[in-house]
Amino acid sequence: MNPAENPVKAVLFDRDGTLVHDVPYNGDPDRVRPVDGAREAVALLRGHGIRVGVVTNQSGVSRGLLTEADVRHVNRRIDDLVGPFDVWAVCPHGPDDGCPCRKPEPGMILRAAGRLRVAPADCVVIGDIGTDLEAAERAGAHGILVPNAQTRPQETAAAPHVAPDLLTAVRAVLTGPPRGTILADERPVAAAFAVGGDGAHPQGGGPDGSAATAPATPGTRGRPR
């Protein structure tokens, strides 16, 4: 598909637990560790002409555990390791501050879409917990959950689209919005990087048309972001 024909114009990622391993209230760039496939996923989108951004709750600032400079330093490190990203949106407020941009509120997604000059309906939000997808829904964007050990089983069950890993989530939107509850793409990475490449399997099934298996999601949610 010609990139200009893809209705998905931007992908907005959650930060902690999605792009990088979650270090509670991290203010140290040296502790940044990208998740498997993060850099490849971002490069894949950029190679297909899809804009990329990050929308992240950072309540450690409101709680006095981080400074805004700390957050910027960590974000810069992520940009170096995983990006570059076209837009960053950060909410420094806590859950009781009434902020309209703190996820699950839609403000950061709307702001990021506005800065990219794309409609929210043409954006896909990828995150690891239910508030990421709730924010996407409220903004009028599409949402994909990539569960990890902090994702509650009920969040996985309620998600409109679930991918077992970040690269699968990204491959699923290279030709349009996500389709099907369980996303699967068995193409080799090299084939996915080929703009206009063929061979994508139907969303929601494996290469033989069978249903994909949802990832196990043990554990409970970690600290509030």
Side-chain angles (χ1 to χ4, degrees):
M1 171 183 286
N2 186 319
E5 298 174 353
N6 188 349
V8 175
K9 303 303 181 186
V11 172
L12 304 175
F13 295 92
D14 171 56
R15 196 190 84 174
D16 302 311
T18 300
L19 285 174
V20 298
H21 292 285
D22 190 359
V23 176
Y25 306 117
N26 183 29
D28 182 357
D30 289 337
R31 300 185 71 189
V32 171
R33 296 291 182 271
V35 304
D36 290 345
R39 185 167 183 81
E40 293 84 353
V42 173
L44 184 57
L45 291 168
R46 295 182 68 86
H48 282 73
I50 299 174
R51 309 291 296 278
V52 289
V54 181
V55 288
T56 176
N57 289 348
Q58 293 298 322
S59 67
V61 175
S62 176
R63 299 170 194 270
L65 302 172
L66 297 168
T67 67
E68 293 192 24
D70 291 332
V71 175
R72 287 195 298 272
H73 293 157
V74 169
N75 290 349
R76 190 174 300 120
R77 178 64 172 163
I78 296 171
D79 222 23
D80 290 341
L81 293 176
V82 181
F85 292 95
D86 299 303
V87 65
W88 283 83
V90 177
C91 176
H93 301 108
D96 299 323
D97 292 339
C99 176
C101 66
R102 176 180 165 81
K103 294 179 289 186
E105 297 300 326
M108 275 195 293
I109 295 170
L110 296 174
R111 188 170 75 214
R115 290 173 61 188
L116 294 174
R117 298 184 180 182
V118 299
D122 297 334
C123 295
V124 174
V125 177
I126 299 178
D128 66 315
I129 59 177
T131 54
D132 298 318
L133 271 62
E134 186 176 348
E137 182 179 6
R138 292 183 181 187
H142 306 275
I144 299 175
L145 187 75
V146 180
N148 56 35
Q150 292 184 350
T151 312
R152 292 176 175 172
Q154 58 266 38
E155 292 174 320
T156 302
H161 309 289
V162 179
D165 55 62
L166 201 57
L167 267 174
T168 299
V170 162
R171 292 176 190 170
V173 303
L174 294 180
T175 56
R179 300 181 299 276
T181 302
I182 307 300
L183 304 178
D185 190 326
E186 303 297 333
R187 288 179 295 173
V189 172
F193 267 95
V195 176
D198 203 351
H201 300 302
Q203 305 303 326
D208 60 355
S210 60
T213 302
T217 55
T220 58
R221 184 196 304 272
R223 55 89 180 170
R225 299 173 186 169

